[in-house]
């Protein structure tokens, strides 16, 4: 394994009140960077003071968007330790994204070690208040200079850290979502299953229009028939229908969330029938009208679980569980956050200790 060169900052930043940080606004003192060159591989792995990149205007990422990212968190336990949740899964998924976008693959084990080192160096930035965390953003982009269209021969991989306050500082309030029936996010054969920046660029218009109507997220439909639900903004979606846990299957257009995978495993272990399958918007409407759509929640690293209290489709609104968080949603939230923050023992090998 390659050595990581470490250059510590001579000007540590003044730390703000990290326990009440808004998401993604403040970054720590250091970042991890390494470079890839075709024929050479990854080189110059380094932890250096946090700071800007200087890039030529013709750098390929600005023009053809070869850019992928990941998102995970470091958690402070009650006894002061710091831990990561399934970090290897993030770097494996980054390689799935890289493969689709013709980008360089990373060594997942090396990346976990590099991340542990980085978090250890910036350990004082991991907040301590309940439900706070240090958000980790690994990303990679094409940095070859030239506007000819082809896969870049060089890449930069970087990891930055951002302390974030409790996602639910005002308590877990269910959100209102809207089934989007104009724009689509992904199509079969496209890049829907990857965490590439371009997926987000294309999704902003629908999110803005939904926000104007008072919805906090859109629920995407499939890009071919616009009939089957896929996922919400940056979260996978799950339904409790007539006692069963149902979620759209990951067949190329849905991002395979690590929170999704974890929640499905826990639900199965608890004895629930779990179905990964096609779920049409019409089926949801029918279940809602028959009183069988018992709970809806989104899953993703940022919120862990986000209960949905209302869902709208074609101008009609359906209130779920009286607009309150469902019993199973709450139980799953307590279980997974319990494991992540170390309040519940990790029996599945999901936790990686930093220090
Ligand atoms: C990151 C992401 C998710 C959630 O994935 P997690 O691994 O659970 O954080 C879901 N959908 C999209 C589009 C995403 O980008």
């Amino acid at each position: 394994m390659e050595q990581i060169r470490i250059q510590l900052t001579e000007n540590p930043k003044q730390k703000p009140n990290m326990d009440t940080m808004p998401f993604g606004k403040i970054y720590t003192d250091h970042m991890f960077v390494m470079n890839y060159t075709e024929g050479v591989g990854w080189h110059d792995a380094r932890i250096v003071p946090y700071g800007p990149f200087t890039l030529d205007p013709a750098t390929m990422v600005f023009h053809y968007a070869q850019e992928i990212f990941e998102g995970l968190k470091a958690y402070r336990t009650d006894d002061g330790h710091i831990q990561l949740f399934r970090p290897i899964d993030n770097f494996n998924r980054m390689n799935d994204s890289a493969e689709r976008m013709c980008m360089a693959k990373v060594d997942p084990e090396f990346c976990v070690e590099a991340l542990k080192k980085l978090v250890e160096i910036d350990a004082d930035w991991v907040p301590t208040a309940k439900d706070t965390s240090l958000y980790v953003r690994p990303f990679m982009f094409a940095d070859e200079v030239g506007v000819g269209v082809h896969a870049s021969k060089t890449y930069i991989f970087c990891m930055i850290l951002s302390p974030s306050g409790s996602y639910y500082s005002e308590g877990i309030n269910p959100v209102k979502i809207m089934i989007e029936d104009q724009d689509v996010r992904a199509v079969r054969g496209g890049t829907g299953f990857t965490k590439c920046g371009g997926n987000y660029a294309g999704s902003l218009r629908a999110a803005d229009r939904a926000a104007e109507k008072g919805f906090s997220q859109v629920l995407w439909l499939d890009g071919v028939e616009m009939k089957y639900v896929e996922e919400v903004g940056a979260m996978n979606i799950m339904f409790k229908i007539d006692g069963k846990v149902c979620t759209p299957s990951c067949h190329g257009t849905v991002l395979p969330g690590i929170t999704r995978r974890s929640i499905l495993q826990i639900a199965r272990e608890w004895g629930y029938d779990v179905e990964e399958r096609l779920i049409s918007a019409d089926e949801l409407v029918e279940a809602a009208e028959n009183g069988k759509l018992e709970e809806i929640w989104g899953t993703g690293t940022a919120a862990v679980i986000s209960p949905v209290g209302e869902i709208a489709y074609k101008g009609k609104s359906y209130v779920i569980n009286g607009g309150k968080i469902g019993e199973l949603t709450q139980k799953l939230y307590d279980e997974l956050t319990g494991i992540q923050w170390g309040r519940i023992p990790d029996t599945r090998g999901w936790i990686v200790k930093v220090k």
Side-chain angles (χ1 to χ4, degrees):
M1 184 180 296
E2 205 193 333
Q3 277 291 319
I4 300 172
R5 178 169 65 81
I6 295 174
Q7 181 201 339
L8 297 182
T9 182
E10 285 168 8
N11 305 299
K13 297 175 190 171
Q14 186 81 35
K15 288 191 188 65
N17 180 354
M18 292 187 300
D19 292 335
T20 55
M21 289 305 310
F23 179 76
K25 293 274 193 250
I26 298 283
Y27 294 89
T28 65
D29 282 323
H30 299 91
M31 61 182 187
F32 174 85
V33 188
M34 62 181 176
N35 296 76
Y36 178 88
T37 305
E38 196 178 276
V40 178
W42 289 103
H43 55 92
D44 290 302
R46 57 205 186 267
I47 291 172
V48 290
Y50 185 96
F53 294 114
T54 301
L55 297 168
D56 189 288
T59 300
M60 287 176 75
V61 66
F62 296 143
H63 305 273
Y64 308 122
Q66 270 184 300
E67 189 275 346
I68 55 178
F69 66 96
E70 274 300 325
L72 67 159
K73 285 172 171 178
Y75 306 86
R76 173 87 64 184
T77 62
D78 289 342
D79 58 4
H81 291 282
I82 298 171
Q83 58 188 32
L84 303 165
F85 180 73
R86 309 188 79 171
I88 196 87
D89 290 31
N90 289 93
F91 297 109
N92 283 328
R93 185 170 64 188
M94 186 172 227
N95 279 344
D96 294 340
S97 298
E99 146 91 14
R100 177 64 183 84
M101 306 296 283
C102 292
M103 298 171 72
K105 290 199 183 162
V106 294
D107 174 350
E109 262 116 47
F110 176 73
C111 289
V112 171
E113 288 312 309
L115 176 57
K116 281 163 71 177
K117 192 80 221 164
L118 179 64
V119 172
E120 205 183 317
I121 287 173
D122 279 341
D124 289 350
W125 287 88
V126 184
T128 51
K130 188 167 186 292
D131 297 338
T132 61
S133 59
L134 183 72
Y135 184 76
V136 180
R137 168 53 59 88
F139 61 104
M140 189 201 300
F141 60 93
D143 75 326
E144 190 184 329
V145 175
V147 294
V149 182
H150 60 83
S152 178
K153 292 183 173 60
T154 61
Y155 296 93
I156 292 177
F157 171 90
C158 180
M159 292 191 276
I160 53 176
L161 310 173
S162 176
S164 44
S166 168
Y167 195 89
Y168 292 116
S169 48
E170 280 145 43
I172 307 188
N173 288 317
V175 295
K176 286 168 66 176
I177 64 172
M178 187 192 111
I179 297 182
E180 167 65 28
D181 55 11
Q182 290 174 51
D183 291 358
V184 296
R185 193 191 84 96
V187 290
R188 205 170 306 148
T191 59
F193 67 94
T194 74
K195 256 182 137 63
C196 71
N199 285 347
Y200 279 78
S203 74
L204 299 175
R205 183 171 75 170
D208 278 358
R209 286 195 300 225
E212 274 167 30
K213 293 184 196 149
F215 295 95
S216 59
Q217 302 264 359
V218 301
L219 175 54
W220 297 103
L221 290 174
D222 77 274
V224 179
E225 297 177 72
M226 299 202 76
K227 192 170 159 191
Y228 301 100
V229 297
E230 300 219 305
E231 61 178 316
V232 281
M235 286 193 294
N236 295 110
I237 190 84
M238 297 187 183
F239 308 92
K240 184 161 164 269
I241 304 174
D242 202 14
K244 291 181 184 167
V245 175
C246 305
T247 192
S249 41
C250 289
H251 48 255
T253 51
V254 171
L255 196 288
I258 295 161
T259 319
R260 173 187 184 278
R261 190 180 310 155
S262 308
I263 288 292
L264 295 183
Q265 183 175 334
I266 292 170
R268 285 190 174 107
E269 286 173 15
W270 284 353
Y272 283 92
D273 278 336
V274 173
E275 296 181 345
E276 297 179 66
R277 60 173 173 85
L278 289 174
I279 301 167
S280 70
D282 289 338
E283 175 186 344
L284 294 177
V285 166
E286 198 184 310
E289 281 170 350
N290 296 337
K292 291 188 171 164
L293 185 48
E294 294 152 354
E295 299 182 33
I296 307 181
W297 65 92
T299 67
T301 295
V304 188
I305 283 188
S306 179
V308 174
E310 194 178 320
I311 185 166
Y313 183 50
K314 293 191 169 150
K316 274 184 87 175
S317 241
Y318 306 87
V319 173
I320 308 301
N321 194 44
K324 292 195 290 289
I325 183 169
E327 196 184 318
L328 177 59
T329 310
Q330 180 74 55
K331 242 178 92 183
L332 288 166
Y333 177 83
D334 292 343
E335 179 75 10
L336 195 53
T337 55
I339 295 165
Q340 289 169 332
W341 272 275
R343 297 185 289 262
I344 294 177
D346 165 39
T347 55
R348 302 175 184 89
W350 288 348
I351 293 296
V352 171
K353 292 246 185 266
V354 173
K355 63 178 276 188

